[in-house]
Amino acid sequence: MVRPLARRQMLLGFGGTAMAVIAAACGGGLSAPATKPTEPAKPAGQPTASGAAPTTAPASAQPTAVPAAAQPTAVTKAAAPAAGGGAPVELQFWFWADSPDQAALHTDSLKKFQDQNPNISVKTDLIVNVADQRKKLLTSFAAQAGMPDCSHAPGGWVPEFYDAKMIVPLESRLKGWKTYQDWLPQIQQLATGGRGQDPAGIVVNQVLIPYLYYRADWLEAANVKPPDTLDEMLEVAKALNKPPDHYGYGFRGGDNGSLGQQVGLYLKADGVEFVKADGTIDLDSSDAIDRMQWYIDLVNKHKVTQPSALTDRFPELFAGLQGGKLAMVHHGLWSWKTQETVLKEKVSAAPIPKGKKGRFASTGVEGTIVYATSKNQDEAWKVAAFLGEPEQAKLFMYERGSGPVLKSLTSDNIFKENRFYKAALDSQPGWGNFPDWHPNWPTMSDRWGPEIQRLVKGEITAERFCKIMADVLRTKA
């Protein structure tokens, strides 16, 4: 049976208060956004023409209700005895969740696995968030005690965990698994964690795709089209900039989020690799300097950004979009229900705009990894593979706001009838990742936000900013 560990409790409540807590902690010049999304879409139904996802599904795909005390879902059905009368093999599976519905995606899926594999018992441990899970994994591995057999994980962990010899390479198992042949080519690449020499180390079941939200009603009123290039995005921002009523572009200056969701995407779209294949750093190249100057000009020259741009993070940007203050905001498919619930047909999405060399969408994958400390790796692999099968991948796609992991899912009606899913899929040729496997990437990322603020204030030039960031990446350990 799937059983949450009795000693674990969810330390934070989920639901409508989560965004308000984040917004209060972050501060900023825009009020908190609306927080309660509509019920998640159910994969068995068809999306509606208005862009909302279907509302019905067979009972087997329905998430189990999470108890009011926010405990992980408990399954009370006893596991059948293993063949030959032996006790079932017991596995431990760790995961985090951002909401009760997301938690239920795992527990309900694992209950199905148990029903089909009564000789394997899965015990789940729900961790508060992704950062806490990573910390607990590293601590347990260092102590060589208390490790799970497998866990939910982001693909970005794969290089680090390979270096620590924490995880089992899955390349050979994946190539013998029929669903692997249905993986999109980009998913096969992302399953390595992005570092060229590594084999695949994660069974992907979700892909999180960024895009650009825009106020469709304002574009229509101004008779302009959604931007497809960065130059077009600037022109749209100018056309929709009507201060103090509303502003053309939501600038994220309050943290390092502009690296992963704004200008970092633009740099990659201009051909800036950050870390090139030969290990050299090109973040202080002329192309990088030019694009950083272009980005800061949105604030200081063109003045198409909100007055609180220097301190705003994503909660404030959400509030600005929903509150009629911002025309364009970067985020991703996983938040489409939140925006559509508030703005209805007034909001839509476009792929990340193209730069000088093409389009780049920093695409994060999530899935299941198997740990080298497990004494039951064959059984752990069965769990990982089950969670990546088409039925589960489709469930994550509809319920979590994931893009398609499988080629067969790209023809699903939701990508034709839901404008947000369509925008995400349209960026597929540009899916990729940053070289966040680089040992100095976390340090560079931490410096990014404060240096962006200095750049906006005019304390440093774009050239100096790029040199600082490049030198951090070049620093020898």
Side-chain angles (χ1 to χ4, degrees):
M1 62 186 154
V2 182
R3 297 180 286 133
L5 294 180
R7 63 184 177 82
R8 286 293 304 177
Q9 294 184 349
M10 292 175 67
L11 302 180
L12 294 177
F14 289 122
T17 60
M19 191 68 79
V21 171
I22 294 171
C26 293
L30 296 172
S31 58
T35 60
K36 183 176 177 56
T38 57
E39 288 297 312
K42 305 300 186 287
Q46 295 297 326
T48 63
S50 66
T55 57
T56 60
S60 61
Q62 196 75 6
T64 321
V66 175
Q71 296 283 352
T73 305
V75 180
T76 57
K77 177 182 175 182
V89 172
E90 185 174 277
L91 300 178
Q92 293 197 25
F93 177 89
W94 293 3
F95 70 106
W96 77 91
D98 299 327
S99 70
D101 290 324
Q102 189 179 337
L105 290 177
H106 290 284
T107 53
D108 290 356
S109 294
L110 289 170
K111 182 184 182 301
K112 293 178 191 176
F113 173 83
Q114 172 60 47
D115 291 342
Q116 298 176 23
N117 298 272
N119 62 327
I120 302 175
S121 174
V122 182
K123 185 183 288 186
T124 63
D125 190 0
L126 176 56
I127 314 296
V128 175
N129 56 50
V130 61
D132 283 358
Q133 180 173 316
R134 177 181 175 276
K135 180 179 179 180
K136 185 175 180 181
L137 284 166
L138 292 172
T139 301
S140 299
F141 184 75
Q144 287 293 290
M147 283 288 290
D149 297 277
C150 50
S151 80
H152 188 63
W157 288 357
V158 170
E160 178 188 14
F161 285 9
Y162 268 145
D163 289 346
K165 303 187 186 306
M166 285 177 62
I167 60 174
V168 176
L170 298 176
E171 190 92 18
S172 60
R173 291 183 187 266
L174 283 166
K175 289 183 176 178
W177 177 51
K178 64 178 182 180
T179 302
Y180 181 75
Q181 304 306 315
D182 195 21
W183 275 13
L184 288 165
Q186 292 91 340
I187 301 300
Q188 294 185 14
Q189 179 181 1
L190 291 166
T192 68
R195 192 169 58 179
Q197 70 268 30
D198 291 332
I202 184 171
V203 183
V204 178
N205 53 43
Q206 301 171 53
V207 55
L208 304 181
I209 306 166
Y211 54 34
L212 180 70
Y213 284 115
Y214 63 86
R215 284 292 301 260
D217 54 337
W218 295 357
L219 265 72
E220 182 178 2
N223 196 29
V224 294
K225 296 180 179 179
D228 188 54
T229 68
L230 290 172
D231 288 341
E232 290 174 2
M233 186 179 77
L234 174 57
E235 293 308 310
V236 171
K238 289 178 178 179
L240 301 184
N241 195 54
K242 307 293 180 185
D245 295 332
H246 52 79
Y247 301 88
Y249 179 89
F251 187 96
R252 185 167 175 171
D255 59 13
N256 65 357
S258 66
L259 170 59
Q261 291 197 359
Q262 293 188 349
V263 70
L265 307 177
Y266 310 161
L267 289 165
K268 290 279 283 184
D270 282 351
V272 178
E273 295 294 328
F274 288 77
V275 182
K276 300 174 73 172
D278 62 2
T280 58
I281 308 300
D282 64 353
L283 188 48
D284 51 357
S285 64
S286 59
D287 285 335
I289 295 167
D290 289 347
R291 183 54 68 189
M292 287 306 307
Q293 184 62 55
W294 181 94
Y295 181 62
I296 298 306
D297 282 347
L298 295 174
V299 182
N300 294 330
K301 178 180 178 181
H302 303 298
K303 303 186 186 303
V304 295
T305 61
Q306 73 277 21
S308 51
L310 202 61
T311 57
D312 281 351
R313 310 180 192 189
F314 90 86
E316 290 80 27
L317 298 183
F318 272 27
L321 181 68
Q322 295 169 3
K325 288 294 185 181
L326 295 175
M328 293 184 290
V329 168
H330 278 289
H331 208 250
L333 179 59
W334 59 96
S335 64
W336 79 271
K337 290 292 286 185
T338 301
Q339 309 307 335
E340 202 263 352
T341 297
V342 175
L343 294 170
K344 308 299 182 187
E345 296 298 323
K346 295 178 181 178
V347 65
S348 193
I352 299 296
K354 297 175 185 174
K356 296 176 182 177
K357 298 294 178 65
R359 196 187 316 275
F360 176 79
S362 176
T363 308
V365 296
E366 294 181 8
T368 310
I369 56 181
V370 177
Y371 292 97
T373 49
S374 173
K375 296 180 180 179
N376 299 296
Q377 292 178 11
D378 290 343
E379 290 80 4
W381 158 254
K382 289 181 180 180
V383 171
F386 178 84
L387 292 174
E389 292 290 359
E391 180 182 358
Q392 309 311 317
K394 184 173 182 178
L395 189 66
F396 283 116
M397 187 174 80
Y398 273 74
E399 300 283 358
R400 176 81 194 282
S402 165
V405 172
L406 309 176
K407 289 179 280 190
S408 59
L409 290 178
T410 61
S411 59
D412 191 276
N413 281 341
I414 200 168
F415 294 105
K416 302 179 182 70
E417 299 177 11
N418 183 303
R419 60 195 182 278
F420 303 101
Y421 281 81
K422 184 179 184 303
L425 184 60
D426 285 348
S427 69
Q428 181 191 336
W431 293 0
N433 51 16
F434 289 104
D436 49 10
W437 46 263
H438 191 279
N440 294 336
W441 188 269
T443 303
M444 190 271 290
S445 180
D446 288 344
R447 288 283 299 274
W448 190 275
E451 297 299 334
I452 282 286
Q453 292 185 336
R454 293 179 64 202
L455 180 55
V456 173
K457 293 175 182 178
E459 295 175 2
I460 56 174
T461 65
E463 182 176 7
R464 179 60 182 156
F465 172 89
C466 291
K467 184 68 165 60
I468 291 170
M469 295 295 102
D471 284 348
V472 171
L473 289 176
R474 293 188 181 108
T475 301
K476 301 294 184 181

